[in-house]
Amino acid sequence: MERRLIVNLHGTAKIGENNHLWIGGADTVKLAKKYGTPLYIYDVALIRTRARGFKKAFEEKGVGYQVAYASKAFSSIAIIQLMDQEGLSLDVVSGGELYTALQAEFPAERIHFHGNNKSVEELEFALTAGVGCIVVDNFYEINLLKMLCRKLNKKVKILLRLTPGIEAHTHDYIITGQEDSKFGFDLGSGQADKALQVVLESEFFEVLGIHCHIGSQIFETEGFTLAIDKLFSHFKIWEESYQYFPRVVNLGGGFGIQYTSDDTPLEPEQYVMAMIDEVNRKMAQFEEKPMPELWIEPGRSLVGDAGTTIYSIGSQKEIEGVRHYVSVDGGMTDNIRPALYQAKYDAYTANKMNDKPAQTVSIAGKCCESGDMLIWDLELPEVTDQDYLAVSCTGAYGYSMANNYNRIQRPAVVFVENGEKQLVVKRETYEDLVRQDVPLKSKVFV
């Protein structure tokens, strides 16, 4: 049977002139030659489409909302400026992400500060910057915030992060009596009740509401509706015991994307519509209460399938009857997800897009690790060291988790839209690798 190439392209990606992969009106092979490889390429139009899709559902339903980009997926000045252009809020989880956002001149009042172990310095930075809210994760943090608010004479808006006992991942969900998680206050054990009581009694907190996050790469809405049911059942108890009802319900993120043809995510609007409909149903038991604002935190689903990594193909090794290895000039230094989670990706020969597959190969990275494998058993045409490999859906957790193992430089990042291209992150140099190194000055260490 003749082999057939199955191409699953996203956004503006297409097979264009010269049998090349084009994204955003730009030839990816020309981009690779100009900026070098590995190279992250982002389809800006697709990011805008995703952002507007999430917002559209809230606006059609007339529900107060914030869509906050979870910047851990990919944080840089340019991507944060793009999210600002689209009217999104921003989720940060460290002082470094907060600093990047402020360098991008992102409005501090639209920044939400997360994290399970925020330091005193990070919390003080957030308070002095005037972030919109802090998502409080534990009792230790409550005490730190009290101390800092007293010192700075400030009152801070907060959400309490709850673990509702629902864990969702792809097509599965698990309901447990007590969630085993490093994050948040558990509903089942009474931690959440105690935390609410503590913050309501404090003069330093304005308790906007609650936050929860039930998983990642979620392809169905059932996990979200189960979490909403459990949360609102508890809100009834809070209303009776503490006369408190949240003004904000943040349902987190975790919306899935299509890494390979096996993945079947929903459109952004479908997740949001299901959330709104379930909250509306639960609000029937709170007749005199206004509908809370609904916040969500998409990260991967905004940038994941908008990113493509281009590699130069290098050495090959064929073990007859066993495996054919094709090595590229990147690997676990620019995409550690396959090594960490056995993540799967689609890939194509960027300069031979319509060529028929002729071999089954496995894509190896260049790091000195046997586990540095990007893709197993990939159908490709015959390739040489003059060819380029395009790995799709690398826009989330590629650059943000990139590293300098083996002293390999982190790649450049290019944005493309309507035929325009812009370098938004420069490729690291060898000089960058040693910039923070301090040589020995004393013979004591010789």
Side-chain angles (χ1 to χ4, degrees):
M1 181 182 294
E2 183 181 87
R3 283 171 163 164
R4 184 169 61 90
L5 179 65
I6 300 174
V7 179
N8 184 27
L9 301 178
H10 302 267
T12 66
K14 66 176 185 178
I15 301 173
E17 296 176 17
N18 304 321
N19 199 15
H20 290 182
L21 173 64
W22 287 61
I23 300 173
D27 183 339
T28 62
V29 176
K30 288 184 178 179
L31 292 176
K33 290 178 178 178
K34 179 175 181 177
Y35 296 107
T37 56
L39 178 68
Y40 299 108
I41 300 171
Y42 278 83
D43 183 351
V44 172
L46 180 53
I47 296 172
R48 294 192 195 277
T49 297
R50 292 278 186 266
R52 293 168 189 178
F54 280 115
K55 292 170 62 179
K56 179 183 176 183
F58 288 111
E59 290 166 359
E60 286 184 352
K61 290 282 191 176
V63 174
Y65 74 96
Q66 285 192 41
V67 177
Y69 170 55
S71 64
K72 68 176 183 175
F74 168 45
S75 179
S76 75
I77 288 174
I79 194 66
I80 291 169
Q81 289 174 328
L82 179 59
M83 297 305 174
D84 189 22
Q85 289 178 11
E86 292 301 315
L88 270 57
S89 297
L90 193 70
D91 160 6
V92 302
V93 298
S94 72
E97 287 184 358
L98 175 56
Y99 181 80
T100 304
L102 297 176
Q103 289 296 110
E105 298 184 347
F106 195 92
E109 64 272 14
R110 298 211 315 269
I111 297 175
H112 313 157
F113 193 16
H114 279 264
N116 69 299
N117 189 29
K118 307 177 189 74
S119 68
V120 172
E121 293 77 15
E122 286 175 321
L123 288 171
E124 186 164 0
F125 184 19
L127 290 170
T128 54
V131 299
C133 77
I134 293 178
V135 183
V136 174
D137 200 274
N138 49 65
F139 292 105
Y140 173 74
E141 186 178 339
I142 290 175
N143 291 330
L144 288 183
L145 278 172
K146 283 182 181 179
M147 179 266 291
L148 288 169
C149 285
R150 186 177 294 109
K151 171 186 171 183
L152 299 171
N153 192 28
K154 283 183 175 289
K155 186 171 184 175
V156 61
K157 294 178 180 178
I158 66 168
L159 300 179
L160 288 181
R161 178 161 183 170
L162 308 183
T163 51
I166 307 290
E167 182 181 354
H169 183 74
T170 60
H171 295 285
D172 301 318
Y173 63 89
I174 303 167
I175 304 175
T176 60
Q178 184 168 351
E179 181 85 22
D180 182 4
S181 171
K182 74 176 187 178
F183 296 106
F185 300 97
D186 178 62
L187 277 181
S189 68
Q191 280 186 345
D193 299 333
K194 182 180 178 183
L196 178 67
Q197 189 174 5
V198 169
V199 294
L200 286 177
E201 290 174 352
S202 173
E203 61 185 297
F204 298 115
F205 300 120
E206 181 181 345
V207 189
L208 296 180
I210 65 94
H211 170 280
C212 77
H213 178 77
I214 61 171
S216 61
Q217 270 297 87
I218 301 169
F219 295 158
E220 298 175 347
T221 61
E222 188 172 5
F224 293 108
T225 56
L226 284 168
I228 289 166
D229 292 348
K230 196 160 185 181
L231 290 170
F232 275 76
S233 295
H234 220 80
F235 295 163
K236 194 68 176 176
I237 297 171
W238 283 359
E239 185 185 38
E240 293 168 355
S241 301
Y242 308 110
Q243 294 73 55
Y244 177 79
F245 186 81
R247 304 189 323 244
V248 172
V249 175
N250 187 330
L251 294 167
F255 316 110
I257 68 168
Q258 188 179 45
Y259 282 106
T260 72
S261 56
D262 294 331
D263 296 329
T264 56
L266 303 175
E267 291 299 316
E269 298 93 322
Q270 292 176 276
Y271 292 107
V272 174
M273 289 294 189
M275 291 176 176
I276 293 172
D277 289 345
E278 189 63 21
V279 171
N280 273 324
R281 279 192 287 271
K282 303 309 291 186
M283 285 301 295
Q285 60 185 309
F286 302 96
E287 296 178 0
E288 297 181 0
K289 298 293 183 184
M291 178 83 165
E293 281 192 20
L294 297 183
W295 295 4
I296 57 172
E297 296 167 348
R300 183 202 317 261
S301 53
L302 284 169
V303 299
D305 55 2
T308 299
T309 306
I310 308 294
Y311 299 97
S312 293
I313 290 174
S315 67
Q316 298 188 42
K317 175 183 178 180
E318 186 165 8
I319 308 170
E320 190 172 349
V322 179
R323 189 172 303 282
H324 183 169
Y325 290 94
V326 171
S327 295
V328 294
D329 58 349
M332 64 189 295
T333 49
D334 58 79
N335 187 356
I336 202 170
R337 295 185 70 253
L340 280 182
Y341 324 118
Q342 293 74 56
K344 292 180 172 57
Y345 291 89
D346 283 336
Y348 321 102
T349 312
N351 57 312
K352 294 179 177 178
M353 289 296 290
N354 277 320
D355 287 20
K356 294 177 181 178
Q359 56 189 344
T360 300
V361 303
S362 292
I363 306 301
K366 68 175 291 174
C367 287
C368 192
E369 291 286 341
S370 298
D372 185 18
M373 297 293 300
L374 286 173
I375 302 173
W376 297 95
D377 300 329
L378 175 68
E379 296 284 299
L380 285 185
E382 295 287 347
V383 294
T384 72
D385 60 2
Q386 300 302 303
D387 295 321
Y388 296 93
L389 187 76
V391 179
S392 62
C393 296
T394 58
Y397 307 109
Y399 182 83
S400 63
M401 298 177 80
N403 59 84
N404 295 126
Y405 184 53
N406 290 165
R407 285 263 151 154
I408 294 172
Q409 311 102 296
R410 284 178 291 188
V413 181
V414 171
F415 281 8
V416 291
E417 185 178 24
N418 298 324
E420 299 294 324
K421 54 188 176 294
Q422 182 184 341
L423 179 70
V424 297
V425 180
K426 295 178 182 178
R427 183 177 307 280
E428 285 185 329
T429 65
Y430 287 142
E431 290 78 12
D432 291 329
L433 293 178
V434 299
R435 195 174 305 280
Q436 303 302 321
D437 288 10
V438 179
L440 291 176
K441 292 184 178 180
S442 171
K443 292 185 178 179
V444 172
F445 298 103
V446 175

